[in-house]
Amino acid sequence: MSEEPLSPITAAVIGASGFAGGEICRVLLEHPYVETILPVSRGSESFAERHRHLAASGVEFVEAGEAERCDVVFFCTPSGEAARGAQTWLDRGARVVDLSADFRFGDAATYRAAYGNDHPGPDLLAEAVTGIPELYRDTIARARLVANPGCYVTAAVLALLPAVESDVVDLAEVVRIHAINGTSGADATPQRATMHVRVVGSVLPYNLDGHRHAPELEERLTSITRQETRVDLAVAHGDFARGIYLQASVALRAPMTRDQLLQLYLARYGRAGDGEPFVFVDARRRDGGLNEKVYDVYPQMRDVVGSNLCRVGLDVDRRRAVARIVAVIDNLTKGAAGSAVQNMNVMFGFPEMAGLSRCGLG
Amino acid sequence: MSEEPLSPITAAVIGASGFAGGEICRVLLEHPYVETILPVSRGSESFAERHRHLAASGVEFVEAGEAERCDVVFFCTPSGEAARGAQTWLDRGARVVDLSADFRFGDAATYRAAYGNDHPGPDLLAEAVTGIPELYRDTIARARLVANPGCYVTAAVLALLPAVESDVVDLAEVVRIHAINGTSGADATPQRATMHVRVVGSVLPYNLDGHRHAPELEERLTSITRQETRVDLAVAHGDFARGIYLQASVALRAPMTRDQLLQLYLARYGRAGDGEPFVFVDARRRDGGLNEKVYDVYPQMRDVVGSNLCRVGLDVDRRRAVARIVAVIDNLTKGAAGSAVQNMNVMFGFPEMAGLSRCGLG
Amino acid sequence: MSEEPLSPITAAVIGASGFAGGEICRVLLEHPYVETILPVSRGSESFAERHRHLAASGVEFVEAGEAERCDVVFFCTPSGEAARGAQTWLDRGARVVDLSADFRFGDAATYRAAYGNDHPGPDLLAEAVTGIPELYRDTIARARLVANPGCYVTAAVLALLPAVESDVVDLAEVVRIHAINGTSGADATPQRATMHVRVVGSVLPYNLDGHRHAPELEERLTSITRQETRVDLAVAHGDFARGIYLQASVALRAPMTRDQLLQLYLARYGRAGDGEPFVFVDARRRDGGLNEKVYDVYPQMRDVVGSNLCRVGLDVDRRRAVARIVAVIDNLTKGAAGSAVQNMNVMFGFPEMAGLSRCGLG
Amino acid sequence: MSEEPLSPITAAVIGASGFAGGEICRVLLEHPYVETILPVSRGSESFAERHRHLAASGVEFVEAGEAERCDVVFFCTPSGEAARGAQTWLDRGARVVDLSADFRFGDAATYRAAYGNDHPGPDLLAEAVTGIPELYRDTIARARLVANPGCYVTAAVLALLPAVESDVVDLAEVVRIHAINGTSGADATPQRATMHVRVVGSVLPYNLDGHRHAPELEERLTSITRQETRVDLAVAHGDFARGIYLQASVALRAPMTRDQLLQLYLARYGRAGDGEPFVFVDARRRDGGLNEKVYDVYPQMRDVVGSNLCRVGLDVDRRRAVARIVAVIDNLTKGAAGSAVQNMNVMFGFPEMAGLSRCGLG
């Protein structure tokens, strides 16, 4: 925990015209310790036009110059901008949370392999801390610069953590992950593929040659497991605006029951109100025979949309010695802006749920 | 091809009150060689009440006795009914297409392992032919009894066939499959989990301990590849009524490009109008750099809903030597009733597209 | 009925890159008397790219010149093109069905009032026949030039016809209509308002200052009722790709029951298979007391999508002497391309259901 | 404003297993002055099972007896329970907010006409105050018993208020209203009509013979306008879980422009942050010519879901002298539980936005 007093702070948001930037503003509007929100946008639209759902909030875009005096800055910018700009903000004494991929890799070579170009500002790579409080809470509390993970990475790490931290997963087999993201995670430029008429009632797969969150996730899991961990990540957009539905399958080293595995998860994450504040293990009992369809014992995405929660549930396929895990998050909240504010809370010593206590809408 | 003349036939549908039974009637209404449709239902509702979208068709339920004189009978019944009843219909000279799981396994032991109870009528197991015309067209043409595969099995086999028939897949690694099905594939009894208010804007996973189509698919793939093939199948329902989106990942034995793999698929399935009549390979060119989101080069479910088509597309993750394949079908048509009628067409020597030529609605 | 023999014809589609043009091709692909489809597009995309769901059909765009020799031409073009071009096609001996608004008004002045500019080719206005077979079947059979009505007009006329043809409606009160259209009826140019992320789970009202189908509908109703009929038409797009849900309320001149009004509708439209081939009256019995929610006695849009059917249902609010009528159609089929082909069928003496017999998907 | 100090209170929720009851708990969880929530349910499910999205909140159902000592009680019960039980709670000193229809009518005769049975407890009818703070803020502040209006009534009153309070509407013509509600407003008992497979991609009209919110709305409008006001209300459920899209048309007494009417609305409701805290007038400028589709100048439902806001927008059809107004709310929040808590805030002298400051999710 930080030693700083809980005095109100000023937060700047660079690149505030996109979905993640808007979501940071939405979350900060509910934050008891954030007094001033300074969203910066290069576009010509007003804040109320750009973020219609926040039109009644009174928030307005500011000029870049006006945002210079702040306690924390969130980068929601295209690749490279945070890498080039973060040092300036650190020099001003601000903390930095970067939602882009600039500081997500431990070294410039991995970045280059994943993104195909040289890292635009590698000097700060060593200082940046990965923004997964469930893993790195103490380090984040001392950090000046936090790299917020990719949305799929957050969901996948939380889905897998209790299993891979223990010894139950056979990591010689690839970890296979399938995830469906809302269209708020898609490119914001109007184009035919993401028009309503094309996506409604359908599923839109993309980048099946390898999503760039995959190497990020492999680095993360390898760091956790201390052995090389390979990931097969397939992604698509579904017919919803917000949310990630992520299903992961891992090979088990030895037979175990669903209850045994659930116990591992409950032990790691705790139960509601007592443990990880934003991870909830869905441990409903599974009835029903072999021939029956069993619904409703796993987490459902709609129960987390609008919240910073990740809900995790699972089952074991005993014949194949496979554990199947489902994690659901709101891609804009826990998958981006909510995590970013959670990281801010940890960095500033605020209560970790400050501004983030809202439940899903159901 | 059968030697029989193309004279009009009478088709009975047992268990016609469910989604698959209604879909068979819908398809047969458009069939040039089916003169009479005899749907049998035990329920009290009229056909027009039960299948609202067919209310203007004039079709009505008949008593079981009225359906006895028919040329072909489709079983859309719960487990066991076809096993117990098929012989009677064969004795009457009818051909039988079973949409239940009764004849999907080669032997009673595998059935017992998958379904947990003894097979209710194993005598015909040896005679039953698997209803995948893309694999067994000639055998089906000579068959009296066809076992229509499970919806996920049809989609998965068509997704994988060109890859596993050739030598490019490393079958020592498990074949991982993730599939999202429409709610017309869910249990038809009203229950809370499948109410609109629970599914809209969400994803509903089910039976993650192992779907019973998995052993069926393993048996099928093992038969094709002649080596034991393991499958990791995870399923869920999505926020749509019709359709299956299936994504499969397989390990490649050697590096290959997307184009090379596409060529295998085009060679196996042909191009539009010249090759498999109901399989279409989406071979759009993939542009876009490593950092760009690339939409719209893979098949989309909405383009097949309402048709008997399976569209297949794919990509190669070269860093992981993984091929990712997407197959989309209408779960009620190609996934059930359309395949059943396609099998009927093959059995009776009708043109294979008879009654099934409709395109998707887009 | 036309005296022409049922010989196969060639159909050209001008402006075939849009939704309506694609839908005409889809319908004609299933038409037993249309041998050749010649879709003309100015765009650079191939037919298979533009109309993904028809990619397996083998249809391809042709040059404008190749389409000149045809028996019928469908205009799916922006305002003015049909007005300027129709005469040329008539001179070539082709029949013309115009899906644009060019020939929907009886005179150039009304057109000008509705569209704000001079009519670009008023000479043919007098010859053009309104393409509503349920009203003008005989005239259409003799016509060379048919003006296909706007999608809302078709739905509204079919919703209101039995009531306004009889003497039960008080036309001194405005006819109020609310309609929700699928996004395939929206502007096809990608723009923010019609991106999936904005429309999903929402409703998108538009042109509330007066939709241009309103004067068209007023002209039509005034012509039927022989007294000036005013319409209050409010429109929006819903979270679906295809379909129109239209609800109309009219003041009743005298008290009547739901059953009495239903009898009027059944008398006008007939019952399934015996009467208007594409209008189905949903006359399910209404149970339930005053305090109960009564679902499922009115037509549902999903039961007509993919078909050329209009389903109509209704109820009477006895305390207010108001009849509330619901009509549902597929906006692209009965609302545009299906009606156009139905008109073609009438013009050429084909069976009216030729190519249009498909039921909805349910 | 109440004179009471802002000390924390205890709130009981009777009938807390339904959607409205769950939503009250959700809102109160975020309320700074509500210390204890006591939800009472007769069902056997736990709170976490019943309200999945609140499973992580720690709230649990209590026995009825445990809820007796509270400062405010919310009735979310079937008709009659509040009428029979309210006096007991008032005698205990609690304030009562009734979300059922028991106290919505000024006298027992109107109730009987609307609901078909005698009022079960008419003694308190005279004391009950209608819970529309935008109209009756001062009276609510002094009330012991507040009747929360029906969801359609809240949306309709806010849509119409500035117009009918001024002199611009011709009330000799019926006020016509069309509203689409989310399925969280439908009957909660699983039944075929509200299964996902039936509602997805469709619209479900119901009770077209007269919704019982119509007489309630007529009484309210008649009270505001001091002349008899008739309403034609047509309702349906749409393919979304939460939200009401309401479109109202009224006849204008004299020609006026959209801008003039907007000014009336802005004058009545104020602008963001300065005026009615939960009503926002969407006054975006309308560009585009007569022939263009103009999207995005009216309010959109998705921008209020999850909030207590009502957004109102409008346009004028000058040729027909009709104003068309759109109001959007979250049916569970502003349409039920949010309004109830807003009323509680007014009754207890809390800041009116306490617990209700959340923006929509967009």
Side-chain angles (χ1 to χ4, degrees):
Chain A
M1 277 287 180
S2 161
E3 298 297 306
E4 289 155 278
L6 299 187
S7 54
I9 63 170
T10 292
V13 184
I14 313 298
S17 63
F19 283 108
E23 181 74 351
I24 288 185
C25 296
R26 188 185 73 84
V27 170
L28 293 182
L29 277 164
E30 306 176 358
H31 200 289
Y33 302 114
V34 173
E35 199 169 44
T36 310
I37 308 170
L38 300 171
V40 178
S41 160
R42 288 203 195 90
S44 59
E45 280 181 300
S46 71
F47 188 87
E49 279 300 293
R50 192 70 202 166
H51 301 297
R52 296 280 168 82
H53 57 302
L54 306 178
S57 71
V59 174
E60 293 186 14
F61 286 133
V62 301
E63 295 296 315
E66 296 174 61
E68 283 176 13
R69 294 184 57 167
C70 65
D71 303 289
V72 62
V73 60
F74 296 93
F75 278 95
C76 306
T77 40
S79 287
E81 288 202 34
R84 286 185 295 267
Q87 189 63 60
T88 310
W89 295 86
L90 293 174
D91 292 346
R92 288 177 189 140
R95 306 258 164 96
V96 176
V97 181
D98 178 25
L99 284 86
S100 83
D102 285 5
F103 297 110
R104 288 180 186 164
F105 292 95
D107 57 81
T110 323
Y111 177 92
R112 185 181 170 75
Y115 281 76
N117 55 277
D118 285 332
H119 195 285
D123 294 350
L124 286 166
L125 276 179
E127 179 175 352
V129 172
T130 299
I132 304 180
E134 291 79 6
L135 262 174
Y136 308 114
R137 188 167 278 119
D138 293 346
T139 329
I140 295 167
R142 295 187 302 267
R144 294 193 307 163
L145 169 59
V146 165
N148 226 51
C151 55
Y152 294 123
V153 175
T154 290
V157 165
L158 295 176
L160 296 166
L161 199 52
V164 298
E165 279 182 344
S166 72
D167 203 29
V168 300
V169 176
D170 177 3
L171 292 168
E173 280 202 38
V174 71
V175 174
R176 45 264 192 181
I177 297 178
H178 194 273
I180 316 273
N181 199 347
T183 49
S184 60
D187 198 299
T189 311
Q191 56 191 285
R192 204 162 140 226
T194 51
M195 287 178 74
H196 177 269
V197 74
R198 287 296 296 164
V199 181
V200 62
S202 198
V203 179
L204 177 64
Y206 69 100
N207 289 68
L208 292 181
D209 61 333
H211 192 279
R212 57 201 197 186
H213 288 176
E216 183 189 338
L217 178 58
E218 286 176 335
E219 178 172 313
R220 198 53 40 216
L221 292 177
T222 296
S223 154
I224 298 166
T225 61
R226 290 159 208 273
Q227 56 183 296
E228 204 202 324
T229 305
R230 292 168 305 135
V231 167
D232 177 359
L233 171 66
V235 295
H237 287 294
D239 182 6
F240 46 88
R242 277 173 175 253
I244 287 178
Y245 170 87
L246 181 142
Q247 192 276 323
S249 292
V250 291
L252 293 172
R253 295 166 71 92
M256 64 191 307
T257 65
R258 177 175 184 250
D259 280 344
Q260 289 170 326
L261 193 56
L262 275 174
Q263 288 311 316
L264 270 184
Y265 275 69
L266 287 166
R268 177 61 172 84
Y269 290 136
R271 292 181 187 271
D274 171 29
E276 277 302 334
F278 296 111
V279 188
F280 181 85
V281 181
D282 265 289
R284 281 195 288 280
R285 206 158 61 86
R286 188 198 187 292
D287 298 321
L290 196 58
N291 284 326
E292 289 170 55
K293 292 198 176 170
V294 176
Y295 304 112
D296 237 4
V297 299
Y298 313 114
Q300 250 188 290
M301 203 181 71
R302 64 170 300 112
D303 290 331
V304 300
V305 169
S307 83
N308 196 50
L309 275 179
C310 176
R311 287 174 81 141
V312 182
L314 55 85
D315 220 325
V316 171
D317 185 336
R318 301 190 70 179
R319 282 201 283 189
R320 285 168 200 81
V322 164
R324 297 201 183 88
I325 307 144
V326 166
V328 290
I329 61 171
D330 185 316
N331 63 312
L332 293 181
T333 318
K334 186 62 177 164
S339 274
V341 172
Q342 186 182 353
N343 285 320
M344 179 196 84
N345 285 344
V346 175
M347 292 167 97
F348 282 83
F350 299 143
E352 199 164 324
M353 293 186 77
L356 296 165
S357 58
R358 307 283 168 118
C359 294
L361 294 178
Chain B
M1 276 288 179
S2 161
E3 299 296 308
E4 289 156 278
L6 300 187
S7 54
I9 63 169
T10 292
V13 184
I14 312 299
S17 63
F19 283 109
E23 181 74 352
I24 288 186
C25 296
R26 188 185 72 83
V27 169
L28 293 183
L29 276 165
E30 306 176 356
H31 199 290
Y33 302 114
V34 175
E35 200 168 43
T36 311
I37 308 169
L38 300 171
V40 178
S41 161
R42 287 201 196 92
S44 58
E45 280 181 300
S46 71
F47 188 88
E49 278 300 292
R50 193 69 202 166
H51 301 298
R52 296 281 168 82
H53 57 302
L54 306 179
S57 70
V59 175
E60 293 186 14
F61 286 133
V62 301
E63 296 295 317
E66 297 175 60
E68 284 178 11
R69 293 184 58 167
C70 65
D71 302 290
V72 62
V73 60
F74 296 93
F75 278 95
C76 306
T77 41
S79 288
E81 288 201 33
R84 286 186 296 266
Q87 188 63 59
T88 308
W89 295 86
L90 293 174
D91 292 345
R92 288 176 188 141
R95 305 258 163 95
V96 176
V97 181
D98 179 24
L99 285 86
S100 84
D102 285 5
F103 298 110
R104 288 180 187 165
F105 292 95
D107 58 80
T110 323
Y111 176 91
R112 184 181 170 75
Y115 281 76
N117 54 278
D118 286 331
H119 195 284
D123 295 349
L124 286 167
L125 276 179
E127 179 175 351
V129 172
T130 299
I132 305 180
E134 292 79 6
L135 262 174
Y136 307 113
R137 188 168 277 119
D138 294 346
T139 328
I140 295 167
R142 294 187 303 267
R144 295 194 306 164
L145 170 58
V146 165
N148 226 50
C151 55
Y152 294 123
V153 175
T154 290
V157 165
L158 295 177
L160 295 166
L161 199 53
V164 297
E165 280 182 343
S166 72
D167 204 29
V168 300
V169 176
D170 177 2
L171 293 167
E173 279 203 38
V174 71
V175 174
R176 45 263 192 182
I177 297 178
H178 194 273
I180 316 272
N181 199 346
T183 48
S184 60
D187 197 298
T189 311
Q191 56 191 284
R192 203 160 140 229
T194 51
M195 287 178 75
H196 177 268
V197 74
R198 286 296 296 164
V199 181
V200 61
S202 198
V203 178
L204 176 64
Y206 69 101
N207 289 66
L208 292 180
D209 60 334
H211 193 279
R212 56 201 197 185
H213 288 178
E216 183 189 337
L217 178 58
E218 287 176 334
E219 178 173 312
R220 197 55 38 218
L221 293 176
T222 296
S223 154
I224 298 166
T225 61
R226 290 158 208 271
Q227 55 183 297
E228 205 201 322
T229 305
R230 291 169 307 136
V231 167
D232 177 359
L233 171 65
V235 295
H237 288 294
D239 182 6
F240 46 88
R242 277 173 175 254
I244 288 178
Y245 170 87
L246 181 142
Q247 191 276 322
S249 292
V250 291
L252 293 171
R253 296 165 71 92
M256 64 191 308
T257 65
R258 178 177 184 248
D259 280 344
Q260 289 170 326
L261 192 56
L262 275 175
Q263 287 312 316
L264 270 184
Y265 275 69
L266 287 166
R268 177 61 172 86
Y269 289 136
R271 291 180 187 271
D274 170 29
E276 277 302 332
F278 296 111
V279 187
F280 181 85
V281 181
D282 265 289
R284 282 194 290 279
R285 205 159 61 86
R286 189 198 187 293
D287 298 321
L290 196 57
N291 284 326
E292 288 170 57
K293 292 199 176 168
V294 176
Y295 304 113
D296 237 4
V297 300
Y298 314 114
Q300 250 188 290
M301 204 182 69
R302 64 169 301 111
D303 290 332
V304 299
V305 169
S307 83
N308 197 49
L309 275 178
C310 176
R311 288 175 79 142
V312 182
L314 55 85
D315 221 324
V316 171
D317 185 336
R318 302 191 69 179
R319 280 200 285 189
R320 285 167 200 82
V322 163
R324 296 201 184 89
I325 306 144
V326 167
V328 290
I329 60 171
D330 185 317
N331 63 312
L332 293 182
T333 318
K334 186 61 176 166
S339 273
V341 172
Q342 186 182 353
N343 285 321
M344 179 195 85
N345 285 344
V346 175
M347 292 167 98
F348 282 83
F350 298 144
E352 199 164 325
M353 294 186 77
L356 296 164
S357 57
R358 205 185 217 203
C359 294
L361 294 178
Chain C
M1 274 288 179
S2 161
E3 298 297 307
E4 289 156 278
L6 300 187
S7 55
I9 63 170
T10 292
V13 184
I14 313 299
S17 62
F19 284 108
E23 180 74 352
I24 288 185
C25 296
R26 188 185 71 84
V27 170
L28 293 182
L29 277 164
E30 305 177 358
H31 200 289
Y33 303 114
V34 174
E35 200 169 45
T36 311
I37 307 170
L38 300 171
V40 179
S41 161
R42 287 203 197 89
S44 58
E45 281 180 299
S46 71
F47 188 88
E49 277 301 291
R50 192 68 201 166
H51 301 296
R52 296 281 169 82
H53 57 302
L54 305 179
S57 71
V59 175
E60 293 187 12
F61 286 133
V62 301
E63 295 297 315
E66 295 174 61
E68 284 177 13
R69 293 184 58 166
C70 65
D71 302 288
V72 62
V73 60
F74 296 93
F75 278 95
C76 306
T77 41
S79 288
E81 289 203 32
R84 285 187 295 268
Q87 188 63 59
T88 309
W89 294 86
L90 293 175
D91 292 345
R92 287 175 189 143
R95 304 258 163 96
V96 176
V97 181
D98 178 24
L99 284 87
S100 84
D102 285 6
F103 297 110
R104 287 181 188 166
F105 292 94
D107 58 80
T110 323
Y111 176 91
R112 184 181 171 76
Y115 280 76
N117 54 278
D118 285 331
H119 195 285
D123 294 349
L124 285 167
L125 277 180
E127 179 175 351
V129 172
T130 299
I132 306 181
E134 291 79 6
L135 263 175
Y136 308 114
R137 190 168 277 118
D138 293 346
T139 328
I140 295 167
R142 295 187 302 267
R144 294 193 307 164
L145 169 57
V146 165
N148 225 52
C151 55
Y152 294 124
V153 175
T154 289
V157 164
L158 295 176
L160 296 166
L161 199 53
V164 297
E165 279 183 342
S166 72
D167 203 28
V168 301
V169 176
D170 177 3
L171 292 168
E173 280 202 38
V174 71
V175 174
R176 44 265 193 181
I177 297 178
H178 194 273
I180 316 273
N181 199 348
T183 49
S184 60
D187 198 297
T189 311
Q191 56 192 286
R192 204 163 139 227
T194 51
M195 288 178 75
H196 178 269
V197 74
R198 287 295 296 164
V199 181
V200 62
S202 198
V203 179
L204 177 64
Y206 68 101
N207 289 68
L208 292 180
D209 60 335
H211 192 280
R212 57 201 196 185
H213 287 178
E216 184 189 337
L217 178 58
E218 287 177 334
E219 178 173 313
R220 198 53 40 218
L221 292 177
T222 296
S223 154
I224 297 167
T225 61
R226 290 160 209 271
Q227 55 182 298
E228 206 201 323
T229 305
R230 291 169 307 136
V231 167
D232 177 359
L233 172 65
V235 295
H237 287 295
D239 182 6
F240 46 88
R242 278 174 174 250
I244 287 179
Y245 170 86
L246 181 142
Q247 191 275 323
S249 292
V250 290
L252 293 172
R253 295 166 71 91
M256 65 190 308
T257 65
R258 178 175 185 248
D259 280 344
Q260 287 170 327
L261 192 57
L262 275 174
Q263 288 310 317
L264 270 184
Y265 275 71
L266 288 166
R268 176 63 172 85
Y269 289 137
R271 291 180 186 272
D274 170 28
E276 276 302 333
F278 295 111
V279 187
F280 181 85
V281 181
D282 266 289
R284 280 195 289 280
R285 207 157 61 84
R286 188 197 186 292
D287 298 321
L290 196 58
N291 284 328
E292 289 171 56
K293 292 201 176 168
V294 176
Y295 305 111
D296 236 4
V297 299
Y298 313 115
Q300 250 187 288
M301 203 180 72
R302 65 170 299 112
D303 290 332
V304 299
V305 168
S307 82
N308 197 49
L309 275 179
C310 176
R311 287 175 81 141
V312 182
L314 55 86
D315 221 323
V316 171
D317 185 334
R318 301 191 70 181
R319 282 202 283 190
R320 285 168 199 81
V322 163
R324 297 201 183 88
I325 306 145
V326 166
V328 290
I329 61 171
D330 185 315
N331 63 311
L332 293 181
T333 319
K334 186 62 178 165
S339 275
V341 172
Q342 186 182 353
N343 285 321
M344 179 196 85
N345 285 344
V346 175
M347 292 167 97
F348 282 81
F350 299 143
E352 199 165 324
M353 295 186 75
L356 295 165
S357 58
R358 305 285 168 116
C359 294
L361 295 178
Chain D
M1 275 289 178
S2 162
E3 298 297 306
E4 290 156 277
L6 300 186
S7 55
I9 62 170
T10 292
V13 185
I14 313 299
S17 63
F19 283 108
E23 180 75 352
I24 289 185
C25 296
R26 188 185 72 84
V27 170
L28 293 183
L29 277 164
E30 306 175 357
H31 199 290
Y33 302 114
V34 173
E35 199 169 44
T36 310
I37 307 171
L38 300 171
V40 178
S41 161
R42 288 202 196 92
S44 57
E45 281 181 300
S46 70
F47 188 87
E49 278 300 293
R50 191 70 202 166
H51 301 296
R52 296 281 169 81
H53 57 302
L54 307 179
S57 70
V59 175
E60 294 186 14
F61 287 132
V62 301
E63 295 296 316
E66 296 175 60
E68 283 177 13
R69 294 183 58 165
C70 65
D71 302 289
V72 62
V73 60
F74 296 93
F75 278 95
C76 306
T77 41
S79 288
E81 289 202 31
R84 285 186 295 269
Q87 188 64 60
T88 309
W89 295 86
L90 293 175
D91 292 346
R92 288 175 188 142
R95 304 259 164 95
V96 176
V97 181
D98 178 24
L99 285 86
S100 83
D102 285 4
F103 297 110
R104 287 179 187 165
F105 293 94
D107 58 81
T110 322
Y111 177 91
R112 184 180 170 77
Y115 281 75
N117 55 276
D118 286 331
H119 195 285
D123 295 349
L124 285 167
L125 277 179
E127 179 174 351
V129 171
T130 300
I132 306 182
E134 292 78 7
L135 263 174
Y136 309 113
R137 188 168 278 117
D138 294 346
T139 328
I140 295 166
R142 295 187 302 267
R144 296 193 306 164
L145 170 58
V146 165
N148 224 52
C151 55
Y152 294 124
V153 175
T154 290
V157 165
L158 295 177
L160 295 167
L161 199 52
V164 297
E165 279 182 343
S166 71
D167 203 27
V168 301
V169 176
D170 177 3
L171 293 168
E173 280 202 37
V174 71
V175 174
R176 44 262 195 184
I177 297 178
H178 194 274
I180 316 273
N181 199 347
T183 48
S184 60
D187 198 297
T189 311
Q191 57 191 285
R192 202 161 141 228
T194 51
M195 287 179 74
H196 177 268
V197 74
R198 287 295 296 164
V199 181
V200 61
S202 197
V203 178
L204 177 64
Y206 69 101
N207 289 66
L208 292 181
D209 60 335
H211 192 280
R212 56 201 199 186
H213 287 177
E216 183 188 338
L217 178 57
E218 287 176 335
E219 177 172 313
R220 198 53 40 219
L221 292 176
T222 296
S223 154
I224 298 166
T225 61
R226 291 159 209 270
Q227 55 182 297
E228 206 202 321
T229 304
R230 292 170 306 137
V231 167
D232 177 359
L233 171 65
V235 296
H237 288 294
D239 182 6
F240 46 89
R242 278 173 174 252
I244 287 179
Y245 170 86
L246 181 142
Q247 191 275 323
S249 292
V250 291
L252 293 172
R253 295 166 71 92
M256 64 190 308
T257 65
R258 179 177 183 247
D259 279 345
Q260 289 170 325
L261 192 56
L262 275 174
Q263 288 312 315
L264 270 184
Y265 275 70
L266 287 166
R268 176 61 172 88
Y269 290 136
R271 292 180 186 272
D274 170 28
E276 278 301 333
F278 296 112
V279 188
F280 181 85
V281 181
D282 265 290
R284 281 195 289 279
R285 207 158 60 85
R286 189 198 186 293
D287 297 321
L290 197 58
N291 285 326
E292 289 171 56
K293 292 201 176 167
V294 176
Y295 305 111
D296 237 3
V297 299
Y298 313 115
Q300 251 188 287
M301 204 180 70
R302 67 170 299 113
D303 290 331
V304 300
V305 169
S307 83
N308 197 48
L309 275 179
C310 176
R311 288 176 79 142
V312 182
L314 56 85
D315 219 324
V316 171
D317 184 336
R318 301 192 69 180
R319 281 201 284 188
R320 285 168 200 82
V322 163
R324 296 202 184 87
I325 306 145
V326 166
V328 290
I329 61 170
D330 185 316
N331 63 311
L332 293 181
T333 319
K334 187 62 176 164
S339 274
V341 172
Q342 186 182 353
N343 286 320
M344 180 196 83
N345 285 344
V346 175
M347 292 167 98
F348 283 82
F350 298 144
E352 199 164 324
M353 294 186 75
L356 296 165
S357 57
R358 202 185 220 202
C359 294
L361 295 178

